[in-house]
Amino acid sequence: MDGYCSRRVIMFLLFAFAAISRGYGQESTTLVPAIITFGDSVVDVGNNDYLPTIFKANYPPYGRDFANKKPTGRFCNGKLATDITAETLGFTTYPPAYLSPEASGKNLLLGANFASAGSGYDDEASMHAITLTQQLEYFKEYQAKLAKVAGSTKSASITKDALYVLSAGSGDFLQNYYVNPLLNHAYTPDQYGSFLIDTFTNFVKNLYGLGARKIGVTSLPPLGCVPLARALFGYHEKGCISRFNTDAQQFNKKLNAAAANLQKQHPGLKIVVFDIFKALYDIVKSPSNYGFVEATKGCCGTGTVETTAFLCNPKAPGTCSNASQYVFWDSVHPSQAANQVLADALIVQGIALI
Ligand SMILES: *[C@@H]1O[C@H](CO)[C@@H](O)[C@H](O)[C@H]1NC(C)=O
C-alpha cells in the first residue's frame, strides 16, 4: 500500500469512527472543533515573526515548498506535522499564530497556535521566546476573545472538545542542558529530565483547569540523530550520538509515566504521548525504506555555530534542490516529506483523542 493510499484508508476509518461515535447528522466537517497548539519551533506557525528574536523562519528558503512558496515562520520547507494532522482531521485552513493579525474574529473558532521557537519546558531557558507560562496566559486571553465571538456556551464546548497539542523538550536539551555547563555539571540528564517533567505536569494541570480534556504531547525525538547534534557533538561517532538518544528515551519513559498519572488523577482527561522517537529513528536508520536519500544532514545551508547553526542561512550556498529526498530540512527540523511520515504515525497513535 503506498503512502497516498494508506492515508486515504486512515482518513476513511477516522471519519467512519467519528460518525459512529458522535451519531450521524453532525453538520461539522472537522473531527474536532478546534486545535490549540503550545510549544516550540516544531509547531510554531509564525508567532516568532512578531518577537524580537533571531529564531525566526520568515525568510527564504523557509517555506519554499509551502503554499505560494511563502515563508510563514514555520521551521520547514513546507508543512509541519501538525499542519498535515489538521488537514487529516478535516480542516481546510490552519488555526492562526496567536500573535498574528489573523488571530481574530471567526478565525478563533478553529483554535489558535501559541507555540514559539526557542521555548521549552524550562521557562528560564527560553530566550526571547514566548515561555510556556506566557503561552498559557495567552490561552486565557484567547478564551475570553472566543467567548465574545462564539458565546459562552459554544466557547465552553469548543474548549472541552478541542484537540490540544504540546511539543517541547528538544530545545531544553539541545539548546540548554548540553551546552550549559552550569546545568550539565550540576545535574545528570536524568535529574534534569525529572525537573522538566515537573513543569510538564504543572502545565497539564493548569490546562485541565482551564477546560482542556484532550491533550496530545510529543515525546522527545532521537536527539542524537539531529544533524546539529552530530555536527556539534559527534567527534568520534559515525552514526547518531547514542548517549543523547539514551537520554531522550529515559525522558520519554518519565513522560509516559507522568501522562498516565495525570490521566488517572483528572476525570475526563485523555492524554496521549505521541512517540516521535520511534517514528523518526526508523526513518533515520532506514531512509530508503521511506523514499529518502539523505538522513544525516539538513537540506538547507546553515550558518556557523556562533550565529545560526540551527537555522537556514539565506547566504550560505548549497541548499539542496529537492527537499523530499532529505529527512531534515535544516539542522534540527524535519522536512515536509519527513513530517508526512510522522503525521501518519501521529494520527494512528492519537485516535483516542478524536
Ligand atoms: C524529489 O524527490 C522525490 C523523492 O525521491 C521524487 O519522488 C520527486 O520526483 C523529486 N522531485 C523532483 C522535482 O525531482
Side-chain angles (χ1 to χ4, degrees):
M1 200 158 58
D2 67 19
Y4 178 68
C5 178
S6 63
R7 224 162 288 141
R8 302 244 314 198
V9 170
I10 289 167
M11 283 186 67
F12 172 79
L13 290 175
L14 276 177
F15 277 89
F17 172 79
I20 292 162
S21 63
R22 287 185 183 180
Y24 294 93
Q26 283 262 342
E27 57 184 28
S28 161
T29 54
T30 55
L31 290 177
V32 292
I35 303 176
I36 313 274
T37 306
F38 300 96
D40 57 19
S41 60
V42 175
V43 292
D44 185 349
V45 293
N47 284 312
N48 276 29
D49 297 358
Y50 303 91
L51 299 178
T53 167
I54 60 159
F55 283 112
K56 288 187 210 281
N58 59 351
Y59 56 87
Y62 286 104
R64 191 174 80 172
D65 301 310
F66 198 69
N68 306 319
K69 305 191 188 305
K70 195 172 160 239
T72 57
R74 285 168 173 77
F75 290 77
C76 189
N77 59 308
K79 295 172 193 169
L80 307 177
T82 39
D83 292 328
I84 298 166
T85 300
E87 288 173 9
T88 307
L89 297 178
F91 286 76
T92 52
T93 57
Y94 306 123
Y98 187 67
L99 296 188
S100 76
E102 284 83 55
S104 66
K106 284 212 157 74
N107 291 348
L108 298 177
L109 297 171
L110 295 179
N113 183 312
F114 302 92
S116 170
S119 75
Y121 287 120
D122 186 352
D123 275 1
E124 300 290 318
S126 44
M127 299 172 301
H128 306 294
I130 312 169
T131 61
L132 273 187
T133 304
Q134 180 59 36
Q135 291 183 31
L136 266 189
E137 290 302 313
Y138 280 142
F139 175 61
K140 289 182 203 164
E141 192 182 274
Y142 162 83
Q143 286 185 303
K145 291 181 183 171
L146 182 67
K148 279 197 190 129
V149 177
S152 56
T153 313
K154 187 163 177 213
S155 77
S157 86
I158 291 175
T159 294
K160 179 167 89 41
D161 294 330
L163 172 63
Y164 295 78
V165 178
L166 169 62
S167 163
S170 298
D172 291 295
F173 279 95
L174 288 177
Q175 286 162 255
N176 193 25
Y177 179 77
Y178 291 133
V179 294
N180 183 348
L182 292 179
L183 283 174
N184 59 43
H185 286 171
Y187 305 101
T188 64
D190 190 54
Q191 288 168 329
Y192 187 64
S194 294
F195 161 73
L196 299 180
I197 292 292
D198 286 345
T199 59
F200 160 74
T201 299
N202 279 329
F203 183 86
V204 170
K205 283 181 180 166
N206 288 330
L207 195 54
Y208 178 88
L210 295 170
R213 291 297 178 267
K214 302 170 174 187
I215 303 176
V217 56
T218 57
S219 74
L220 283 184
L223 295 172
C225 300
V226 166
L228 177 84
R230 294 186 194 232
L232 293 185
F233 300 94
Y235 321 104
H236 305 299
E237 275 170 287
K238 239 182 126 206
C240 303
I241 298 165
S242 47
R243 76 181 164 100
F244 286 12
N245 284 352
T246 306
D247 293 346
Q249 281 173 303
Q250 205 167 19
F251 177 88
N252 290 343
K253 249 188 220 158
K254 289 180 204 284
L255 182 66
N256 275 291
N261 267 336
L262 282 162
Q263 183 160 303
K264 232 183 276 162
Q265 291 161 2
H266 295 83
L269 176 63
K270 280 187 193 158
I271 179 161
V272 166
V273 178
F274 295 122
D275 186 359
I276 302 280
F277 188 102
K278 182 175 185 321
L280 195 54
Y281 191 76
D282 286 349
I283 304 173
V284 169
K285 280 289 136 189
S286 315
S288 60
N289 287 357
Y290 298 87
F292 295 102
V293 175
E294 178 57 72
T296 63
K297 50 181 198 266
C299 167
C300 77
T302 55
T304 59
V305 170
E306 292 73 29
T307 56
T308 55
F310 284 90
L311 303 178
C312 300
N313 180 341
K315 295 190 188 91
T319 294
C320 77
S321 63
N322 186 353
S324 300
Q325 300 180 337
Y326 280 65
V327 176
F328 292 97
W329 162 246
D330 60 19
S331 71
V332 177
H333 305 101
S335 64
Q336 171 176 291
N339 282 334
Q340 180 69 63
V341 181
L342 295 177
D344 289 349
L346 296 191
I347 201 78
V348 173
Q349 295 174 16
I351 198 111
L353 298 175
I354 295 165

